[in-house]
Amino acid sequence: MAALKIFSVSFLVLFLEIALIRWLPANIRLLSFFSNFILLASFLGIGLGCLLADARTRLFAWFPFILLAIVAGAAFFRLEVNVVATGAIYFTSGTNEDILQIESVLWLPAIFFVVVALFTALAQRMGREMSTLPSLPAYTWNVAGSLAGVLMLGVMSWFELPPSVWFGIGAVVATPLLLSAEPGATSGRSRVLGAVGVTLVAATVVLVHMISANTLWSPYYKIVVRQQGGDTVVEVNNIFHQSMASLDQKEYFYQWPYSVFGDTFENVLVLGAGSGSDVSAALRHGAKHIDAVEIDPTIIRLGRELHPDQPFSDPRVTVINDDARHYLRTTTKKYDMVVFALIDSLTLQSGFSGVRLESYMFTQEAFADVGDRLTDNGVLAVYNYFREPWLVDRLANSAAVAFGTEPYVHVHEARSFLGVMLAGPRVAQMPASPAIPERVTAFGQSHAPSPARLHQRDRNIEPASDDWPFLYLRDRHIPRHYIYTLLLILGASLLVVAPVVRRASGRWSWEFFLLGAGFMLLETKSITQFALLWGSTWVVASLAIVSVLVMALAANFVVSRWEIRRPWMIGAVLLGLLGLSYMVPVGRLAFDSLAAESLTYVLLGFSPIFCAGLLFGSAIKRSTSLPRDYGTNLLGAMAGGVAEYLALITGYGALIGLVALCYAGALIARPRE
């Protein structure tokens, strides 16, 4: 029974953590720009809860109240924060729905600490249950429950189940815990509080169902379809995404690249095909075959059902449900033209813990992948509303590096810097002064004339790369609102944590703290690697988390049977593997087989995690207070999540050095036998 309770509450903790990481940014837009804040809040809450495991006050009874408050707040306040920053681009909702506009990101700490309170209440119960078993078995059941929670949400994302099902599963798992007494509690009072808690959790599920009415939840994001001005409009995560209209009613740039070269393209690749407008343009201009790549199966389905031109029904079109970068890396086909079809980077889709992992389609490595897929006379076409001239410069500079030739670029300054870029061998055959329409005819915008001008790129703007993929930062820096908010959260967190640590039994362990910080950064690295290999969807991110937990279980199995007598040897292997991973980033090696490529990079990515698990498991095995040391470890993980923002300056490769320092420090801080 003790093992089952540890499994159940551990399942609930990680399941709700990932559910909120996905659900809250889809309803509070700003959280997508601070993509790991919910993760940081959950780690802080779990750490505090474990440190308070032996406290007299029982917090688990408050969990249903706090969960209902979070859902109700997201439902009724609809917060949308205007971020004003000169060196970065942010996109607000663009929706007609009523939202509460506030001017300060200082609201983020309020959201942060409500989530902290939720996971503190949950994790105190987890710590109490874990204290009923010896440290190593308790940790094993904890990891097993966490693994089951991630798998469950990954499966539900795969089947596109709505949030009411997610929270419903959480309610089912929470009910026996709410109705059963905690270790050391009186059963009579617990039953009364439990009945109230079950009622509140059920109310939360009902409220989530009401909020999610008329929404679709793909493996990628939340989708709303509505009618506006006679067009079918698609919104994703509360941002206008696209309108489905006949090609004659769309912007000129869909058809312009074909007209410039006299409709001479036979094989066309459309990346980010959406509901099909770019495909419709290729069909109209005589393409003999089009491969339409779109990551989101729900968007594909909507295009098949609702697009007035029905482009996906044409026999010349092959629809491919895949991540665009992954397709480029794995296909062997050659194309006369590759189109970046308003690729969905503008929604700023957030990963589990990555800081804005949205831009891997616009790096110089991605453009180089396109070059490998073009015929000797092929061309790349990129068009979008770029908002800032320096963003156009970044893309033009990236293309110049990748192709080794000057790209063609023109912009409409009065239309949010709408830009069209052509790059590749065929650019040399362009007319000297191609005719450019003055009217953009964008959906929902003025149709007044907006003359275009040729864009001369600023060569000082750094191209984006797979190591530094932050497309929407003008240069390497941490925006001030990130710094202010992180400092405020860290300061408040220290005020909360300090008295809790002082009252916890035993000494503060720098070993566990540094192990947690290093592990968090390793997890970020693994998710980044998976996103580059197979695309950035919730299913892929779930697989990354599952792989991390499987490595932890495997390491725990080894530690339970063998004593780690020479941790420095394991540490040396770990540091060597980190160095190898730094020297061989994803994409550095060429493979003919996708399976061989995946196996190689998975081994490079997850072998350090296995070594880290051995170090952590051996430390847990010697622990005299599992809740205290586990809580300290999670507080370290929070510090690692904050340190992740350094990647905005250094790139992701440099974080490997920080990981190495964390583990070296943990080995130094390890108590001698």
PDB file of all heavy atoms in Angstrom, residues 539-555:
ATOM      1  N   VAL A 539       4.406  15.325 -28.067  1.00  0.00           N
ATOM      2  CA  VAL A 539       4.702  13.897 -28.054  1.00  0.00           C
ATOM      3  C   VAL A 539       6.215  13.680 -27.997  1.00  0.00           C
ATOM      4  O   VAL A 539       6.725  12.866 -27.215  1.00  0.00           O
ATOM      5  CB  VAL A 539       4.090  13.203 -29.289  1.00  0.00           C
ATOM      6  CG1 VAL A 539       4.500  11.738 -29.339  1.00  0.00           C
ATOM      7  CG2 VAL A 539       2.572  13.331 -29.279  1.00  0.00           C
ATOM      8  N   VAL A 540       6.963  14.421 -28.827  1.00  0.00           N
ATOM      9  CA  VAL A 540       8.420  14.292 -28.839  1.00  0.00           C
ATOM     10  C   VAL A 540       9.006  14.732 -27.497  1.00  0.00           C
ATOM     11  O   VAL A 540       9.896  14.072 -26.936  1.00  0.00           O
ATOM     12  CB  VAL A 540       9.024  15.109 -29.995  1.00  0.00           C
ATOM     13  CG1 VAL A 540      10.540  15.169 -29.886  1.00  0.00           C
ATOM     14  CG2 VAL A 540       8.623  14.505 -31.332  1.00  0.00           C
ATOM     15  N   ALA A 541       8.513  15.848 -26.960  1.00  0.00           N
ATOM     16  CA  ALA A 541       9.010  16.312 -25.664  1.00  0.00           C
ATOM     17  C   ALA A 541       8.701  15.292 -24.566  1.00  0.00           C
ATOM     18  O   ALA A 541       9.523  15.061 -23.672  1.00  0.00           O
ATOM     19  CB  ALA A 541       8.392  17.666 -25.326  1.00  0.00           C
ATOM     20  N   SER A 542       7.528  14.661 -24.631  1.00  0.00           N
ATOM     21  CA  SER A 542       7.190  13.618 -23.658  1.00  0.00           C
ATOM     22  C   SER A 542       8.156  12.453 -23.765  1.00  0.00           C
ATOM     23  O   SER A 542       8.596  11.893 -22.752  1.00  0.00           O
ATOM     24  CB  SER A 542       5.754  13.132 -23.879  1.00  0.00           C
ATOM     25  OG  SER A 542       4.822  14.162 -23.657  1.00  0.00           O
ATOM     26  N   LEU A 543       8.505  12.076 -24.998  1.00  0.00           N
ATOM     27  CA  LEU A 543       9.467  10.990 -25.186  1.00  0.00           C
ATOM     28  C   LEU A 543      10.824  11.349 -24.590  1.00  0.00           C
ATOM     29  O   LEU A 543      11.521  10.493 -24.029  1.00  0.00           O
ATOM     30  CB  LEU A 543       9.611  10.667 -26.673  1.00  0.00           C
ATOM     31  CG  LEU A 543       8.442   9.933 -27.325  1.00  0.00           C
ATOM     32  CD1 LEU A 543       8.661   9.813 -28.831  1.00  0.00           C
ATOM     33  CD2 LEU A 543       8.266   8.541 -26.711  1.00  0.00           C
ATOM     34  N   ALA A 544      11.213  12.620 -24.708  1.00  0.00           N
ATOM     35  CA  ALA A 544      12.483  13.051 -24.124  1.00  0.00           C
ATOM     36  C   ALA A 544      12.448  12.905 -22.609  1.00  0.00           C
ATOM     37  O   ALA A 544      13.400  12.395 -21.993  1.00  0.00           O
ATOM     38  CB  ALA A 544      12.782  14.497 -24.523  1.00  0.00           C
ATOM     39  N   ILE A 545      11.352  13.356 -21.984  1.00  0.00           N
ATOM     40  CA  ILE A 545      11.233  13.235 -20.532  1.00  0.00           C
ATOM     41  C   ILE A 545      11.202  11.769 -20.121  1.00  0.00           C
ATOM     42  O   ILE A 545      11.826  11.363 -19.134  1.00  0.00           O
ATOM     43  CB  ILE A 545       9.969  13.952 -20.036  1.00  0.00           C
ATOM     44  CG1 ILE A 545      10.028  15.439 -20.372  1.00  0.00           C
ATOM     45  CG2 ILE A 545       9.814  13.764 -18.526  1.00  0.00           C
ATOM     46  CD1 ILE A 545      11.091  16.196 -19.652  1.00  0.00           C
ATOM     47  N   VAL A 546      10.474  10.947 -20.882  1.00  0.00           N
ATOM     48  CA  VAL A 546      10.413   9.512 -20.591  1.00  0.00           C
ATOM     49  C   VAL A 546      11.808   8.899 -20.649  1.00  0.00           C
ATOM     50  O   VAL A 546      12.196   8.099 -19.785  1.00  0.00           O
ATOM     51  CB  VAL A 546       9.466   8.800 -21.579  1.00  0.00           C
ATOM     52  CG1 VAL A 546       9.672   7.288 -21.553  1.00  0.00           C
ATOM     53  CG2 VAL A 546       8.018   9.127 -21.256  1.00  0.00           C
ATOM     54  N   SER A 547      12.577   9.280 -21.660  1.00  0.00           N
ATOM     55  CA  SER A 547      13.933   8.739 -21.793  1.00  0.00           C
ATOM     56  C   SER A 547      14.799   9.126 -20.606  1.00  0.00           C
ATOM     57  O   SER A 547      15.592   8.323 -20.100  1.00  0.00           O
ATOM     58  CB  SER A 547      14.566   9.241 -23.096  1.00  0.00           C
ATOM     59  OG  SER A 547      13.801   8.838 -24.214  1.00  0.00           O
ATOM     60  N   VAL A 548      14.653  10.373 -20.148  1.00  0.00           N
ATOM     61  CA  VAL A 548      15.399  10.823 -18.970  1.00  0.00           C
ATOM     62  C   VAL A 548      15.029   9.967 -17.753  1.00  0.00           C
ATOM     63  O   VAL A 548      15.900   9.508 -16.993  1.00  0.00           O
ATOM     64  CB  VAL A 548      15.115  12.313 -18.692  1.00  0.00           C
ATOM     65  CG1 VAL A 548      15.662  12.726 -17.329  1.00  0.00           C
ATOM     66  CG2 VAL A 548      15.729  13.178 -19.781  1.00  0.00           C
ATOM     67  N   LEU A 549      13.731   9.727 -17.555  1.00  0.00           N
ATOM     68  CA  LEU A 549      13.290   8.953 -16.397  1.00  0.00           C
ATOM     69  C   LEU A 549      13.702   7.486 -16.507  1.00  0.00           C
ATOM     70  O   LEU A 549      14.026   6.848 -15.502  1.00  0.00           O
ATOM     71  CB  LEU A 549      11.768   9.074 -16.253  1.00  0.00           C
ATOM     72  CG  LEU A 549      11.265  10.470 -15.860  1.00  0.00           C
ATOM     73  CD1 LEU A 549       9.744  10.529 -15.918  1.00  0.00           C
ATOM     74  CD2 LEU A 549      11.748  10.848 -14.469  1.00  0.00           C
ATOM     75  N   VAL A 550      13.689   6.945 -17.731  1.00  0.00           N
ATOM     76  CA  VAL A 550      14.149   5.565 -17.920  1.00  0.00           C
ATOM     77  C   VAL A 550      15.622   5.447 -17.562  1.00  0.00           C
ATOM     78  O   VAL A 550      16.056   4.479 -16.917  1.00  0.00           O
ATOM     79  CB  VAL A 550      13.891   5.104 -19.372  1.00  0.00           C
ATOM     80  CG1 VAL A 550      14.642   3.808 -19.673  1.00  0.00           C
ATOM     81  CG2 VAL A 550      12.400   4.893 -19.601  1.00  0.00           C
ATOM     82  N   MET A 551      16.418   6.435 -17.955  1.00  0.00           N
ATOM     83  CA  MET A 551      17.834   6.432 -17.578  1.00  0.00           C
ATOM     84  C   MET A 551      17.984   6.495 -16.056  1.00  0.00           C
ATOM     85  O   MET A 551      18.850   5.829 -15.472  1.00  0.00           O
ATOM     86  CB  MET A 551      18.546   7.618 -18.215  1.00  0.00           C
ATOM     87  CG  MET A 551      18.764   7.522 -19.715  1.00  0.00           C
ATOM     88  SD  MET A 551      19.907   6.200 -20.209  1.00  0.00           S
ATOM     89  CE  MET A 551      18.722   4.943 -20.733  1.00  0.00           C
ATOM     90  N   ALA A 552      17.126   7.294 -15.405  1.00  0.00           N
ATOM     91  CA  ALA A 552      17.186   7.384 -13.946  1.00  0.00           C
ATOM     92  C   ALA A 552      16.823   6.047 -13.306  1.00  0.00           C
ATOM     93  O   ALA A 552      17.457   5.612 -12.336  1.00  0.00           O
ATOM     94  CB  ALA A 552      16.236   8.488 -13.462  1.00  0.00           C
ATOM     95  N   LEU A 553      15.800   5.371 -13.843  1.00  0.00           N
ATOM     96  CA  LEU A 553      15.425   4.051 -13.317  1.00  0.00           C
ATOM     97  C   LEU A 553      16.536   3.030 -13.534  1.00  0.00           C
ATOM     98  O   LEU A 553      16.835   2.216 -12.648  1.00  0.00           O
ATOM     99  CB  LEU A 553      14.135   3.560 -13.986  1.00  0.00           C
ATOM    100  CG  LEU A 553      12.813   3.991 -13.364  1.00  0.00           C
ATOM    101  CD1 LEU A 553      11.650   3.441 -14.178  1.00  0.00           C
ATOM    102  CD2 LEU A 553      12.708   3.494 -11.919  1.00  0.00           C
ATOM    103  N   ALA A 554      17.138   3.060 -14.724  1.00  0.00           N
ATOM    104  CA  ALA A 554      18.218   2.119 -15.018  1.00  0.00           C
ATOM    105  C   ALA A 554      19.391   2.344 -14.063  1.00  0.00           C
ATOM    106  O   ALA A 554      19.972   1.388 -13.528  1.00  0.00           O
ATOM    107  CB  ALA A 554      18.663   2.271 -16.469  1.00  0.00           C
ATOM    108  N   ALA A 555      19.737   3.610 -13.845  1.00  0.00           N
ATOM    109  CA  ALA A 555      20.822   3.910 -12.915  1.00  0.00           C
ATOM    110  C   ALA A 555      20.459   3.477 -11.501  1.00  0.00           C
ATOM    111  O   ALA A 555      21.305   2.946 -10.756  1.00  0.00           O
ATOM    112  CB  ALA A 555      21.127   5.414 -12.948  1.00  0.00           C
TER     113      ALA A 555
END
